[in-house]
Amino acid sequence: MLKKRIIVCLDVKDGRTTKGVKFLNNIDVGDPVEMAADYYTQGVDELVFYDIMASASGRGPILDLISKVASRIFIPFCVGGGIGTVEDIRASILAGAEKISLNSQAVKNPGLISEGARIFGNQCIVLGMDAKRDSSMPSGYRVYINGSRTETDLDALEWAKRGVELGAGEIVLNSIDADGTKEGYEIPLTKLISENVSVPVIASGGGGTPDHLKEVLTVGKADGALIASMVHSGQYTIGAIKQSLVGSNIPVRI
């Protein structure tokens, strides 16, 4: 059985790690380079680094910060935020990223997914999705971009399928409704997408306890779980989370 992945997300704003609730009221929680190194030492499987202001402010990735983080960790490292061209993808990979998350820019230019996958391989291209409950959409969820500030006319399930058709090798699926609440993942959304695409789906938004991870990795059928608040707060370590999952017979890397 494939092992489930535990992935820490660092949302970065103005060079500092930040955390909000439903993308609002962000507070500074530390230096991303030192935090990345700490989570690597704790045994996290992967790290995701999002520049949450890049797309909204119309600038590219922070290559020097990506490079500093990459120099401190030796695990898969995914970066996103403001990556709008093949040149941005190439520069981010050269700075040390193994994977590139395309979210707002993929919606604005879907060809970037296929072009990135063609040049760098499907395994390098991650479709990042921010979805929110909306009963007017066929799946019940609408896609938002620009750090959840801008609604689109895209249905979450249809966009997920389209992203995979275009060449995305993985989906990081973030629930805006659950983001930062620490009250549990959006299980119906995660299960819906996981059951309808052929690539790994990583659940994001709402992780607050190991039981939340257990639920999304089993009932939600996610291949991995993104966490932030529950470890940034110091409430849990990566080791404690993994031991709890092992105790529930969920396969993880120890």
Side-chain angles (χ1 to χ4, degrees):
M1 187 184 289
L2 283 177
K3 288 184 165 55
K4 303 289 190 177
R5 288 177 277 155
I6 308 305
I7 304 168
V8 166
C9 178
L10 300 177
D11 285 334
V12 176
K13 179 181 180 184
D14 303 325
R16 298 283 294 176
T17 306
T18 183
K19 197 71 198 90
V21 177
K22 301 183 182 181
F23 290 79
L24 299 170
N25 304 318
N26 286 69
I27 58 167
D28 184 304
V29 292
D31 172 53
V33 180
E34 294 305 321
M35 291 175 75
D38 180 42
Y39 291 131
Y40 169 66
T41 303
Q42 285 185 37
V44 75
D45 297 314
E46 296 186 21
L47 198 80
V48 175
F49 171 111
Y50 289 134
D51 182 341
I52 62 170
M53 295 303 293
S55 288
S57 55
R59 59 172 169 72
I62 317 175
L63 298 173
D64 61 329
L65 196 52
I66 292 169
S67 180
K68 286 175 185 172
V69 171
S71 72
R72 300 286 296 275
I73 62 174
F74 303 94
I75 49 174
F77 176 35
C78 178
V79 304
I83 298 174
T85 66
V86 167
E87 288 69 33
D88 288 337
I89 296 175
R90 182 177 286 110
S92 298
I93 291 172
L94 288 173
E98 278 89 11
K99 299 180 186 180
I100 303 301
S101 178
L102 303 175
N103 188 323
S104 303
Q105 300 299 333
V107 170
K108 295 168 187 175
N109 175 19
L112 187 60
I113 301 174
S114 46
E115 190 73 351
R118 182 181 67 80
I119 296 170
F120 305 103
N122 304 67
Q123 79 286 347
C124 278
I125 304 301
V126 177
L127 178 64
M129 287 177 54
D130 294 320
K132 191 174 185 180
R133 289 181 215 126
D134 187 331
S135 59
S136 70
M137 303 305 284
S139 69
Y141 295 90
R142 182 187 295 273
V143 174
Y144 282 69
I145 60 171
N146 297 331
S148 89
R149 297 171 189 83
T150 308
E151 75 170 44
T152 72
D153 59 2
L154 294 172
D155 175 75
L157 178 57
E158 289 308 309
W159 178 233
K161 289 179 176 178
R162 176 89 175 112
V164 173
E165 285 171 8
L166 287 166
E170 185 168 285
I171 293 174
V172 171
L173 177 64
N174 187 55
S175 164
I176 295 170
D177 300 292
D179 182 79
T181 63
K182 296 197 282 185
E183 292 173 359
Y185 296 88
E186 184 79 5
I187 302 299
L189 171 65
T190 309
K191 185 170 186 278
L192 176 71
I193 304 296
S194 297
E195 288 181 338
N196 284 283
V197 297
S198 57
V199 301
V201 174
I202 308 302
S204 172
T209 70
D211 283 341
H212 292 154
L213 277 77
K214 292 173 196 173
E215 185 182 23
V216 83
L217 295 170
T218 53
V219 182
K221 301 190 176 180
D223 296 275
L226 212 70
I227 54 176
S229 303
M230 64 188 289
V231 285
H232 294 346
S233 66
Q235 188 175 6
Y236 295 97
T237 63
I238 302 299
I241 293 167
K242 286 190 171 185
Q243 288 297 339
S244 180
L245 295 174
V246 167
S248 297
N249 297 312
I250 294 172
V252 294
R253 293 182 187 89
I254 296 295

